[in-house]
Amino acid sequence: MIEIRNAVIITNSDTGDVIKNAVVQVANGKIAYAGAAEHAPDFEAQRVIDAHGNIVMPGFVNMHTHVPMNLFRSYADDLDLMTWLNTRIFPAEDRLTEESAYWASMAAMCELAASGTVAFNEMYFFIDSIAKAAQESGLRAFLSRAVVTPAPGVGERMLDESEELFHKYDGKGRLRVFMSPHAQYTVENSMLEKIAEKAKKLGTGVHMHISETRGEHENCVQEQGMTPIELCKSVGLLDVPFYAAHCVWVSEHDMELMAEHGGTVLSCPKSNLKLASGIAPLSKMMEKGISVTFGTDGASSNNKLSMMEEMTYASFLQKGTTYDPKVMPAVQALKMATRGGAEALGLESGVIEAGKNADIIMLRTDGIRYTPDYDPVSLVVYAGSDADVCMTMVGGDIIYENGTFSFADIDEVKAKIAEYAEDMKRI
Amino acid sequence: MIEIRNAVIITNSDTGDVIKNAVVQVANGKIAYAGAAEHAPDFEAQRVIDAHGNIVMPGFVNMHTHVPMNLFRSYADDLDLMTWLNTRIFPAEDRLTEESAYWASMAAMCELAASGTVAFNEMYFFIDSIAKAAQESGLRAFLSRAVVTPAPGVGERMLDESEELFHKYDGKGRLRVFMSPHAQYTVENSMLEKIAEKAKKLGTGVHMHISETRGEHENCVQEQGMTPIELCKSVGLLDVPFYAAHCVWVSEHDMELMAEHGGTVLSCPKSNLKLASGIAPLSKMMEKGISVTFGTDGASSNNKLSMMEEMTYASFLQKGTTYDPKVMPAVQALKMATRGGAEALGLESGVIEAGKNADIIMLRTDGIRYTPDYDPVSLVVYAGSDADVCMTMVGGDIIYENGTFSFADIDEVKAKIAEYAEDMKRI
């Protein structure tokens, strides 16, 4: 039972309302009331928060993460993809343990919470460690164990593990579990088919890297006579909820297939730039009716887990590459980064209105950039920073507030990470 | 006499040193010593600052600004250029007064100082107001009165004004004054020639918008048989220090001319994206030997004055559009945003070493993103935020520290800006 007073609410509703001098009442993990102060019902709050004119809005949904990679932030940059992977990232990942993966995930939970993220869609290994960190944090997490087929039997073992993880965690607290073929170029066709069947059987979704680089896309066409998305369709992956990360290099037909089958694109604009993959044609995808959402990718290829930046980059890049400044306006970018992800994942979040999950963040507006206040949505998207986030609430629980986490001692997390990093420095 | 202890210095020197457990001693506006603590000479500091492991580095040089436009941040976004200008920006600018321009400039000084900028290169009108704000702030400012020729006699009057401003402010404190033809498409050729002559006579530089949009570039070719840069050469503008803002659409020959004449490109990557102008070919320019620096443009087309973001966008965009992740690495982007601008403007700043101007900033590294600390330069460029800036020093004077400005009452500035904004809302 929390009441937030004196807020400026960005509701994210279809009418795009901004409500000033507003009140939000939270009970049982849901929003009980959100609207003008004068219409707020009586409410017995255990805690009243005076927002002092701060912005209250839906929290961000980060649609593509590899949270243990927080241990590898700025560990290796400005390298060719293959050099980066083979000489830096793979050897570093080889040294990960359940314990270091847990602490690295905790560092990521802190970064996500402090930058206003309420839910994330994860693909990696060490899922037990990630699940533990996610459960402790209170964030909503969609976990998937990446399956690869480098040698006979390996993929099968990983798929079995994925199913075990599904039964262990799916629906537990705020966790859900997806299946995950890592990518077309790392997974054999027969395994893609098995994963599609498994997801169908379990009634869950599939999270996969798709057409991130030109090379990957073109090799698939050359070797298989189909694009990665066409191949996914042929093995049944588009018949389950399909979460396609990147999609930088997609054909017209790929986009039509995604639209037709209701697949979700998880675009990671910053990572795609930094790794020199390119710029995804998001405007075109949206014209075709595809659900486009944003993710950060891992901290070693971004190097932040900041959804605020992701939505701004996305909007700017679409304007700058289509030569149309009206494309992906602030209000749309904000919705994609919050409500868009929530809807794609089936969460009752992303809108500030009665009955929705209380997945809410607050942004300080006392910085010089929030005056004048002609347009709060434009301020958040074009002038805001994730450093403005002063409160993150998930399901009615405040997990971050003014530098303090409900679930972690930040100094302990940093000390642990620094310790594991010493080991990485020896590679 | 200030001594900073326990710092991690990013020196920006040619050897690219990062010095841990370092000391910086400042006397008479200059750096007296910067290096390892154990070699620091005895120093009688009036003030000792314990950096607690924070990063100390050269301050940013913002090479293209319109500071009074801070009053128009988020006043109009997501519009076609001509709609934006004609229905929103021009009517708003018509309502500016010396007083509102002063307070808007003060808001910009606060934003610049708080985000780690030590010098800025300004083009606008209301130069007296801007000069007053700049002088009060302590920032180094290069001011120029934009000249346009919409009707007979107007340009001449503005050029006379420019010369008066030069005599009034150039060399006064930390101010310098440049001449400024607004752009090729707003200034007649004969006036461009006069401005070149005036700059030559006064021994100063020229600050001009060049080939920002494709239309502007192509119209010039069609109407004048020359590109804007070729035209500038023909009227003598390349024979003075030439500061060319934007240069999004430039030909091979344009780049050769700029390299040959030592012109400086002032690239504004965020503004160029947001206004849908495009992405400047900075890597190619640098291969040709052109000095490329960064600016933010005005707050209404960015919408921040954040050099931290500008350098990151620039690096990411070059990687993402050349498909080469090695292009514009972190260490280079950081130098361009600091030392590059300083050198182009003839400032003895941009490097942390004895004898240089004490134009220094400090970044807090206690946030979760600065652990692990594999590479401080990469952390600043790829994981840093201007919210990390906790101290800005210009010429040995601390003008910003931990939320407080030496030169302004931030609440007064915000109140004034909010008041003038009410008038703009009535348009």
Side-chain angles (χ1 to χ4, degrees), chain A residues 20 70-81 106-108 110-111 114-115 214 249 269-279 301-306 309 312-317 319-331 365-375 378-379 382-387 405 410-411 413-415 417-418 420-422 424-425, chain B residues 20 70-81 106-108 110-111 114-115 214 249 269-279 301-306 309 312-317 319-331 365-375 378-379 382-387 405 410-411 413-415 417-418 420-422 424-425:
Chain A
K20 299 195 176 184
N70 263 49
L71 184 52
F72 310 135
R73 187 196 328 265
S74 294
Y75 174 65
D77 297 299
D78 305 320
L79 297 172
D80 271 325
L81 185 64
M106 280 302 274
C110 292
E111 185 178 0
S115 58
R214 184 175 196 157
W249 298 92
K270 286 186 67 190
S271 169
N272 296 158
L273 290 177
K274 181 159 182 283
L275 299 181
S277 306
I279 298 167
S301 59
N302 188 305
N303 293 350
K304 301 183 186 175
L305 311 184
S306 170
E309 293 197 3
T312 313
Y313 267 82
S315 169
F316 276 30
L317 287 170
K319 296 176 200 305
T321 53
T322 61
Y323 307 121
D324 181 355
K326 303 185 299 305
V327 161
M328 206 183 281
V331 67
T365 56
D366 58 351
I368 189 72
R369 291 190 178 126
Y370 284 90
T371 303
D373 65 344
Y374 303 113
D375 180 346
S378 165
L379 286 176
Y382 298 141
S385 155
D386 56 31
F405 301 87
I410 188 74
D411 292 323
V413 174
K414 281 160 56 186
I417 294 297
Y420 295 117
E422 287 308 310
M424 298 300 161
K425 288 179 187 173
Chain B
K20 298 195 177 185
N70 263 48
L71 185 53
F72 309 134
R73 186 197 328 266
S74 294
Y75 174 65
D77 297 300
D78 304 321
L79 296 173
D80 271 323
L81 185 65
M106 280 303 274
C110 292
E111 185 179 1
S115 59
R214 183 175 196 155
W249 298 92
K270 286 185 67 190
S271 169
N272 296 157
L273 289 176
K274 181 158 181 283
L275 299 181
S277 307
I279 298 167
S301 60
N302 188 307
N303 293 352
K304 301 182 186 176
L305 311 184
S306 170
E309 294 197 2
T312 312
Y313 267 81
S315 169
F316 277 30
L317 287 170
K319 294 176 201 303
T321 53
T322 61
Y323 306 122
D324 180 356
K326 303 184 299 304
V327 161
M328 207 182 282
V331 66
T365 56
D366 59 350
I368 190 72
R369 290 190 179 127
Y370 284 90
T371 303
D373 64 346
Y374 302 114
D375 181 345
S378 165
L379 286 175
Y382 298 140
S385 155
D386 56 31
F405 301 87
I410 188 74
D411 292 324
V413 174
K414 281 160 56 184
I417 294 296
Y420 295 117
E422 287 308 309
M424 299 299 161
K425 288 179 187 173

Side-chain angles (χ1 to χ4, degrees), chain B residues 125-144:
Chain B
F125 41 116
F126 292 111
I127 297 298
D128 286 312
S129 302
I130 300 169
K132 182 166 183 274
Q135 280 179 312
E136 289 174 11
S137 75
L139 285 159
R140 300 185 194 279
F142 294 73
L143 308 175
S144 58

Side-chain angles (χ1 to χ4, degrees), chain A residues 104-318:
Chain A
S105 300
M106 280 302 274
M109 297 307 111
C110 292
E111 185 178 0
L112 290 166
S115 58
T117 295
V118 295
F120 66 102
N121 188 26
E122 169 75 9
M123 178 206 290
Y124 209 62
F125 42 114
F126 292 109
I127 296 297
D128 285 312
S129 301
I130 299 170
K132 182 166 183 274
Q135 280 179 311
E136 290 174 11
S137 76
L139 285 159
R140 300 186 194 279
F142 294 72
L143 309 176
S144 59
R145 200 278 182 239
V147 172
V148 292
T149 53
V154 174
E156 281 72 13
R157 182 176 56 70
M158 292 176 172
L159 183 55
D160 289 346
E161 195 192 320
S162 300
E163 184 166 6
E164 284 164 33
L165 290 165
F166 180 86
H167 294 304
K168 193 169 172 185
Y169 295 118
D170 190 71
K172 301 290 174 343
R174 293 173 186 156
L175 304 186
R176 289 291 317 274
V177 177
F178 287 155
M179 300 295 110
S180 173
H182 170 267
Q184 177 275 324
Y185 62 97
T186 49
V187 183
E188 286 170 4
N189 291 0
S190 59
M191 178 52 69
L192 292 178
E193 211 160 334
K194 283 180 197 162
I195 294 172
E197 281 163 21
K198 188 73 75 183
K200 215 173 291 179
K201 190 193 93 177
L202 298 173
T204 191
V206 161
H207 184 178
M208 182 174 177
H209 293 115
I210 292 278
S211 294
E212 178 175 1
T213 67
R214 184 175 196 157
E216 158 196 351
H217 184 85
E218 291 181 350
N219 283 346
C220 182
V221 171
Q222 200 165 7
E223 290 167 12
Q224 310 241 15
M226 284 182 280
T227 67
I229 287 177
E230 287 166 351
L231 181 64
C232 285
K233 177 177 156 53
S234 77
V235 295
L237 282 167
L238 297 196
D239 300 328
V240 296
F242 188 62
Y243 301 95
H246 302 304
C247 294
V248 178
W249 298 92
V250 286
S251 68
E252 291 283 325
H253 186 231
D254 287 342
M255 291 189 249
E256 283 153 18
L257 286 176
M258 285 292 285
E260 191 184 318
H261 290 266
T264 301
V265 168
L266 326 178
S267 181
C268 304
K270 286 186 67 190
S271 169
N272 296 158
L273 290 177
K274 181 159 182 283
L275 299 181
S277 306
I279 298 167
L282 304 186
S283 309
K284 197 176 281 184
M285 292 176 187
M286 293 168 78
E287 277 167 24
K288 293 194 184 286
I290 299 173
S291 156
V292 176
T293 62
F294 305 135
T296 57
D297 212 346
S300 59
S301 59
N302 188 305
N303 293 350
K304 301 183 186 175
L305 311 184
S306 170
M307 287 295 293
M308 287 280 271
E309 293 197 3
E310 229 57 50
M311 76 177 166
T312 313
Y313 267 82
S315 169
F316 276 30
L317 287 170
Q318 291 307 304

Side-chain angles (χ1 to χ4, degrees), chain B residues 252-314:
Chain B
E252 291 283 325
H253 186 232
D254 287 342
M255 291 189 249
E256 284 152 19
L257 286 175
M258 285 292 285
E260 190 184 319
H261 290 265
T264 301
V265 169
L266 326 178
S267 180
C268 304
K270 286 185 67 190
S271 169
N272 296 157
L273 289 176
K274 181 158 181 283
L275 299 181
S277 307
I279 298 167
L282 304 186
S283 309
K284 197 175 280 184
M285 291 176 187
M286 293 167 78
E287 277 167 24
K288 292 195 184 285
I290 299 173
S291 156
V292 176
T293 62
F294 305 134
T296 57
D297 212 347
S300 59
S301 60
N302 188 307
N303 293 352
K304 301 182 186 176
L305 311 184
S306 170
M307 287 295 294
M308 287 280 271
E309 294 197 2
E310 228 57 50
M311 74 176 167
T312 312
Y313 267 81

